[in-house]
Amino acid sequence: MEALQQQLEGLSLSEQEVSQSHDIFSKAIRENLSNSEVETMLREEADIEDAEKLEQLVNFWKSSKHSLLEQAIKKTVWNRTIKSLNWRLDVKTDEPEEGATGHRAMAIFEIVLAASQTESEDVFRFTADHAVLSEILGSMQRIPGVVSSLLQEADAGSAEH
């Protein structure tokens, strides 16, 4: 994160202290660490013996954490994101065919996508019949398992380092 590097270089730190702090703050951003966890890492892992410099770094983190997280998110989101999702369920009555009830449910969706760097939005509207809706719901029900699996892999990977 270049912005983080530049901000750290603006503090009264040596190159080694800037590098170590950058690594710790980068890890804190990736892992969404709490202020106390970052403070502990700075005290235990950085070779900074000056208590004033440590306090300066802790205060820097506390005051900059939110903006640093937002910068990281902006850098990692390169496509449009879902700004809102609206839906409703309609029951339509058709001309009854032989053996049919004449009623069918249709889900109507409206998805608003927004680009991260611009104010432009795109609105998509579509309908889904029972079969398509079942497929969408089945896919969405798999999301928690996939997320859990990815988090377990990430935890296992960070435990190895």
Side-chain angles (χ1 to χ4, degrees):
M1 298 187 62
E2 294 173 27
L4 172 60
Q5 186 76 22
Q6 290 172 346
Q7 289 174 336
L8 287 172
E9 288 171 355
L11 301 175
S12 303
L13 302 170
S14 69
E15 283 184 41
Q16 180 182 357
E17 292 167 336
V18 167
S19 176
Q20 289 174 337
S21 301
H22 179 273
D23 292 346
I24 290 170
F25 292 149
S26 294
K27 180 178 181 179
I29 290 167
R30 278 191 315 274
E31 298 179 15
N32 197 23
L33 299 179
S34 69
N35 290 343
S36 61
E37 290 172 310
V38 172
E39 186 173 349
T40 300
M41 286 178 65
L42 284 168
R43 295 189 189 286
E44 293 176 359
E45 296 178 22
D47 292 333
I48 303 172
E49 295 181 18
D50 185 348
E52 202 171 292
K53 285 183 180 181
L54 274 172
E55 193 62 33
Q56 184 181 25
L57 285 168
V58 168
N59 289 334
F60 168 80
W61 173 252
K62 287 178 181 178
S63 66
S64 303
K65 178 182 180 179
H66 183 71
S67 65
L68 292 171
L69 285 170
E70 290 213 355
Q71 288 173 17
I73 290 169
K74 283 181 182 178
K75 283 183 80 172
T76 58
V77 176
W78 57 88
N79 289 327
R80 296 174 292 178
T81 59
I82 295 177
K83 184 175 180 181
S84 67
L85 170 71
N86 299 305
W87 63 274
R88 75 172 193 251
L89 193 60
D90 286 350
V91 176
K92 296 192 177 203
T93 304
D94 293 331
E95 291 294 322
E97 297 178 17
E98 201 171 308
T101 62
H103 302 291
R104 62 185 170 106
M106 294 290 285
I108 301 170
F109 291 92
E110 177 182 89
I111 298 177
V112 178
L113 299 178
S116 59
Q117 285 81 17
T118 66
E119 296 295 320
S120 68
E121 296 178 347
D122 290 316
V123 179
F124 296 92
R125 292 177 184 92
F126 61 94
T127 61
D129 62 12
H130 185 269
V132 171
L133 192 55
S134 293
E135 185 178 327
I136 291 170
L137 292 173
S139 292
M140 293 181 83
Q141 288 174 343
R142 289 194 303 270
I143 291 173
V146 171
V147 169
S148 177
S149 173
L150 289 172
L151 290 174
Q152 288 175 354
E153 288 175 17
D155 287 344
S158 65
E160 292 173 2
H161 295 290

mmCIF file of all heavy atoms in Angstrom, residues 121-144:
data_model
loop_
_atom_site.group_PDB
_atom_site.id
_atom_site.type_symbol
_atom_site.label_atom_id
_atom_site.label_comp_id
_atom_site.label_asym_id
_atom_site.label_seq_id
_atom_site.Cartn_x
_atom_site.Cartn_y
_atom_site.Cartn_z
ATOM 1 N N GLU A 121 -24.558 4.475 -11.796
ATOM 2 C CA GLU A 121 -25.258 3.265 -11.382
ATOM 3 C C GLU A 121 -25.933 2.641 -12.587
ATOM 4 O O GLU A 121 -26.346 3.333 -13.507
ATOM 5 C CB GLU A 121 -26.330 3.589 -10.342
ATOM 6 C CG GLU A 121 -25.822 4.142 -9.051
ATOM 7 C CD GLU A 121 -26.961 4.471 -8.092
ATOM 8 O OE1 GLU A 121 -28.137 4.511 -8.509
ATOM 9 O OE2 GLU A 121 -26.649 4.687 -6.918
ATOM 10 N N ASP A 122 -26.040 1.336 -12.554
ATOM 11 C CA ASP A 122 -26.797 0.600 -13.555
ATOM 12 C C ASP A 122 -27.871 -0.182 -12.819
ATOM 13 O O ASP A 122 -27.614 -0.790 -11.783
ATOM 14 C CB ASP A 122 -25.906 -0.374 -14.330
ATOM 15 C CG ASP A 122 -24.927 0.339 -15.246
ATOM 16 O OD1 ASP A 122 -25.350 1.294 -15.922
ATOM 17 O OD2 ASP A 122 -23.748 -0.073 -15.280
ATOM 18 N N VAL A 123 -29.082 -0.157 -13.376
ATOM 19 C CA VAL A 123 -30.193 -0.872 -12.774
ATOM 20 C C VAL A 123 -30.580 -2.015 -13.710
ATOM 21 O O VAL A 123 -30.779 -1.810 -14.907
ATOM 22 C CB VAL A 123 -31.407 0.063 -12.553
ATOM 23 C CG1 VAL A 123 -32.570 -0.714 -11.948
ATOM 24 C CG2 VAL A 123 -31.022 1.238 -11.657
ATOM 25 N N PHE A 124 -30.655 -3.214 -13.147
ATOM 26 C CA PHE A 124 -31.053 -4.393 -13.905
ATOM 27 C C PHE A 124 -32.325 -4.952 -13.290
ATOM 28 O O PHE A 124 -32.397 -5.142 -12.083
ATOM 29 C CB PHE A 124 -29.948 -5.463 -13.875
ATOM 30 C CG PHE A 124 -28.683 -5.026 -14.538
ATOM 31 C CD1 PHE A 124 -27.663 -4.427 -13.809
ATOM 32 C CD2 PHE A 124 -28.515 -5.190 -15.902
ATOM 33 C CE1 PHE A 124 -26.495 -4.011 -14.425
ATOM 34 C CE2 PHE A 124 -27.351 -4.777 -16.525
ATOM 35 C CZ PHE A 124 -26.343 -4.187 -15.783
ATOM 36 N N ARG A 125 -33.304 -5.208 -14.137
ATOM 37 C CA ARG A 125 -34.552 -5.816 -13.691
ATOM 38 C C ARG A 125 -34.740 -7.116 -14.463
ATOM 39 O O ARG A 125 -34.508 -7.160 -15.668
ATOM 40 C CB ARG A 125 -35.724 -4.880 -13.951
ATOM 41 C CG ARG A 125 -35.680 -3.640 -13.088
ATOM 42 C CD ARG A 125 -36.825 -2.681 -13.407
ATOM 43 N NE ARG A 125 -36.690 -1.477 -12.632
ATOM 44 C CZ ARG A 125 -36.050 -0.381 -13.059
ATOM 45 N NH1 ARG A 125 -35.516 -0.344 -14.244
ATOM 46 N NH2 ARG A 125 -35.958 0.669 -12.272
ATOM 47 N N PHE A 126 -35.157 -8.153 -13.749
ATOM 48 C CA PHE A 126 -35.413 -9.419 -14.415
ATOM 49 C C PHE A 126 -36.411 -10.230 -13.608
ATOM 50 O O PHE A 126 -36.634 -9.958 -12.429
ATOM 51 C CB PHE A 126 -34.118 -10.207 -14.641
ATOM 52 C CG PHE A 126 -33.389 -10.575 -13.384
ATOM 53 C CD1 PHE A 126 -33.592 -11.806 -12.786
ATOM 54 C CD2 PHE A 126 -32.472 -9.700 -12.809
ATOM 55 C CE1 PHE A 126 -32.918 -12.160 -11.636
ATOM 56 C CE2 PHE A 126 -31.799 -10.051 -11.656
ATOM 57 C CZ PHE A 126 -32.016 -11.278 -11.063
ATOM 58 N N THR A 127 -36.987 -11.199 -14.254
ATOM 59 C CA THR A 127 -37.929 -12.091 -13.583
ATOM 60 C C THR A 127 -37.345 -13.490 -13.543
ATOM 61 O O THR A 127 -36.464 -13.844 -14.331
ATOM 62 C CB THR A 127 -39.288 -12.129 -14.319
ATOM 63 O OG1 THR A 127 -39.079 -12.613 -15.646
ATOM 64 C CG2 THR A 127 -39.943 -10.763 -14.355
ATOM 65 N N ALA A 128 -37.827 -14.259 -12.606
ATOM 66 C CA ALA A 128 -37.385 -15.650 -12.472
ATOM 67 C C ALA A 128 -38.592 -16.499 -12.129
ATOM 68 O O ALA A 128 -39.341 -16.174 -11.209
ATOM 69 C CB ALA A 128 -36.327 -15.760 -11.381
ATOM 70 N N ASP A 129 -38.758 -17.584 -12.865
ATOM 71 C CA ASP A 129 -39.845 -18.500 -12.546
ATOM 72 C C ASP A 129 -39.394 -19.434 -11.425
ATOM 73 O O ASP A 129 -38.274 -19.318 -10.902
ATOM 74 C CB ASP A 129 -40.299 -19.270 -13.782
ATOM 75 C CG ASP A 129 -39.210 -20.157 -14.376
ATOM 76 O OD1 ASP A 129 -38.156 -20.369 -13.732
ATOM 77 O OD2 ASP A 129 -39.413 -20.647 -15.503
ATOM 78 N N HIS A 130 -40.241 -20.352 -11.058
ATOM 79 C CA HIS A 130 -39.955 -21.238 -9.932
ATOM 80 C C HIS A 130 -38.644 -22.004 -10.117
ATOM 81 O O HIS A 130 -37.839 -22.118 -9.191
ATOM 82 C CB HIS A 130 -41.126 -22.211 -9.721
ATOM 83 C CG HIS A 130 -40.947 -23.073 -8.516
ATOM 84 N ND1 HIS A 130 -40.330 -24.302 -8.562
ATOM 85 C CD2 HIS A 130 -41.275 -22.870 -7.228
ATOM 86 C CE1 HIS A 130 -40.291 -24.825 -7.359
ATOM 87 N NE2 HIS A 130 -40.869 -23.986 -6.516
ATOM 88 N N ALA A 131 -38.394 -22.515 -11.300
ATOM 89 C CA ALA A 131 -37.177 -23.312 -11.547
ATOM 90 C C ALA A 131 -35.920 -22.457 -11.391
ATOM 91 O O ALA A 131 -34.953 -22.861 -10.731
ATOM 92 C CB ALA A 131 -37.231 -23.935 -12.942
ATOM 93 N N VAL A 132 -35.937 -21.268 -11.991
ATOM 94 C CA VAL A 132 -34.767 -20.378 -11.902
ATOM 95 C C VAL A 132 -34.574 -19.906 -10.467
ATOM 96 O O VAL A 132 -33.455 -19.851 -9.950
ATOM 97 C CB VAL A 132 -34.905 -19.184 -12.875
ATOM 98 C CG1 VAL A 132 -33.823 -18.158 -12.646
ATOM 99 C CG2 VAL A 132 -34.896 -19.672 -14.314
ATOM 100 N N LEU A 133 -35.671 -19.558 -9.793
ATOM 101 C CA LEU A 133 -35.589 -19.116 -8.406
ATOM 102 C C LEU A 133 -35.022 -20.216 -7.515
ATOM 103 O O LEU A 133 -34.173 -19.955 -6.653
ATOM 104 C CB LEU A 133 -36.973 -18.693 -7.924
ATOM 105 C CG LEU A 133 -37.036 -17.952 -6.610
ATOM 106 C CD1 LEU A 133 -36.143 -16.724 -6.618
ATOM 107 C CD2 LEU A 133 -38.472 -17.553 -6.298
ATOM 108 N N SER A 134 -35.419 -21.450 -7.742
ATOM 109 C CA SER A 134 -34.874 -22.575 -6.975
ATOM 110 C C SER A 134 -33.376 -22.724 -7.205
ATOM 111 O O SER A 134 -32.610 -22.981 -6.276
ATOM 112 C CB SER A 134 -35.584 -23.877 -7.357
ATOM 113 O OG SER A 134 -36.917 -23.839 -6.949
ATOM 114 N N GLU A 135 -32.950 -22.526 -8.441
ATOM 115 C CA GLU A 135 -31.523 -22.610 -8.762
ATOM 116 C C GLU A 135 -30.743 -21.487 -8.068
ATOM 117 O O GLU A 135 -29.670 -21.719 -7.501
ATOM 118 C CB GLU A 135 -31.334 -22.524 -10.276
ATOM 119 C CG GLU A 135 -29.904 -22.732 -10.725
ATOM 120 C CD GLU A 135 -29.770 -22.677 -12.241
ATOM 121 O OE1 GLU A 135 -30.704 -23.097 -12.948
ATOM 122 O OE2 GLU A 135 -28.715 -22.204 -12.684
ATOM 123 N N ILE A 136 -31.281 -20.271 -8.096
ATOM 124 C CA ILE A 136 -30.630 -19.127 -7.433
ATOM 125 C C ILE A 136 -30.518 -19.385 -5.935
ATOM 126 O O ILE A 136 -29.447 -19.210 -5.339
ATOM 127 C CB ILE A 136 -31.408 -17.819 -7.699
ATOM 128 C CG1 ILE A 136 -31.284 -17.402 -9.165
ATOM 129 C CG2 ILE A 136 -30.916 -16.696 -6.784
ATOM 130 C CD1 ILE A 136 -32.204 -16.256 -9.570
ATOM 131 N N LEU A 137 -31.606 -19.827 -5.317
ATOM 132 C CA LEU A 137 -31.599 -20.083 -3.874
ATOM 133 C C LEU A 137 -30.628 -21.204 -3.514
ATOM 134 O O LEU A 137 -29.932 -21.131 -2.502
ATOM 135 C CB LEU A 137 -33.010 -20.403 -3.384
ATOM 136 C CG LEU A 137 -33.993 -19.231 -3.431
ATOM 137 C CD1 LEU A 137 -35.405 -19.701 -3.090
ATOM 138 C CD2 LEU A 137 -33.551 -18.114 -2.514
ATOM 139 N N GLY A 138 -30.568 -22.239 -4.346
ATOM 140 C CA GLY A 138 -29.617 -23.326 -4.107
ATOM 141 C C GLY A 138 -28.180 -22.836 -4.142
ATOM 142 O O GLY A 138 -27.354 -23.207 -3.304
ATOM 143 N N SER A 139 -27.890 -21.974 -5.112
ATOM 144 C CA SER A 139 -26.539 -21.402 -5.203
ATOM 145 C C SER A 139 -26.220 -20.551 -3.982
ATOM 146 O O SER A 139 -25.122 -20.609 -3.434
ATOM 147 C CB SER A 139 -26.409 -20.537 -6.459
ATOM 148 O OG SER A 139 -26.471 -21.325 -7.608
ATOM 149 N N MET A 140 -27.175 -19.750 -3.547
ATOM 150 C CA MET A 140 -26.954 -18.867 -2.398
ATOM 151 C C MET A 140 -26.784 -19.656 -1.105
ATOM 152 O O MET A 140 -26.038 -19.237 -0.224
ATOM 153 C CB MET A 140 -28.089 -17.861 -2.286
ATOM 154 C CG MET A 140 -28.099 -16.873 -3.449
ATOM 155 S SD MET A 140 -29.400 -15.674 -3.319
ATOM 156 C CE MET A 140 -28.603 -14.505 -2.231
ATOM 157 N N GLN A 141 -27.448 -20.798 -0.991
ATOM 158 C CA GLN A 141 -27.320 -21.612 0.212
ATOM 159 C C GLN A 141 -25.937 -22.232 0.333
ATOM 160 O O GLN A 141 -25.518 -22.612 1.418
ATOM 161 C CB GLN A 141 -28.404 -22.689 0.248
ATOM 162 C CG GLN A 141 -29.783 -22.117 0.530
ATOM 163 C CD GLN A 141 -30.886 -23.150 0.431
ATOM 164 O OE1 GLN A 141 -30.712 -24.222 -0.140
ATOM 165 N NE2 GLN A 141 -32.037 -22.816 0.988
ATOM 166 N N ARG A 142 -25.217 -22.311 -0.778
ATOM 167 C CA ARG A 142 -23.849 -22.858 -0.748
ATOM 168 C C ARG A 142 -22.830 -21.812 -0.292
ATOM 169 O O ARG A 142 -21.706 -22.156 0.067
ATOM 170 C CB ARG A 142 -23.479 -23.402 -2.123
ATOM 171 C CG ARG A 142 -24.216 -24.676 -2.481
ATOM 172 C CD ARG A 142 -23.613 -25.388 -3.686
ATOM 173 N NE ARG A 142 -23.550 -24.565 -4.884
ATOM 174 C CZ ARG A 142 -24.502 -24.476 -5.809
ATOM 175 N NH1 ARG A 142 -25.607 -25.155 -5.655
ATOM 176 N NH2 ARG A 142 -24.345 -23.714 -6.869
ATOM 177 N N ILE A 143 -23.189 -20.540 -0.290
ATOM 178 C CA ILE A 143 -22.245 -19.469 0.040
ATOM 179 C C ILE A 143 -21.620 -19.637 1.427
ATOM 180 O O ILE A 143 -20.396 -19.569 1.564
ATOM 181 C CB ILE A 143 -22.892 -18.078 -0.131
ATOM 182 C CG1 ILE A 143 -23.142 -17.813 -1.618
ATOM 183 C CG2 ILE A 143 -22.022 -16.975 0.480
ATOM 184 C CD1 ILE A 143 -23.938 -16.549 -1.907
ATOM 185 N N PRO A 144 -22.400 -19.859 2.505
ATOM 186 C CA PRO A 144 -21.773 -19.992 3.827
ATOM 187 C C PRO A 144 -20.722 -21.104 3.893
ATOM 188 O O PRO A 144 -19.675 -20.937 4.518
ATOM 189 C CB PRO A 144 -22.950 -20.286 4.767
ATOM 190 C CG PRO A 144 -24.136 -19.709 4.071
ATOM 191 C CD PRO A 144 -23.862 -19.904 2.599
#
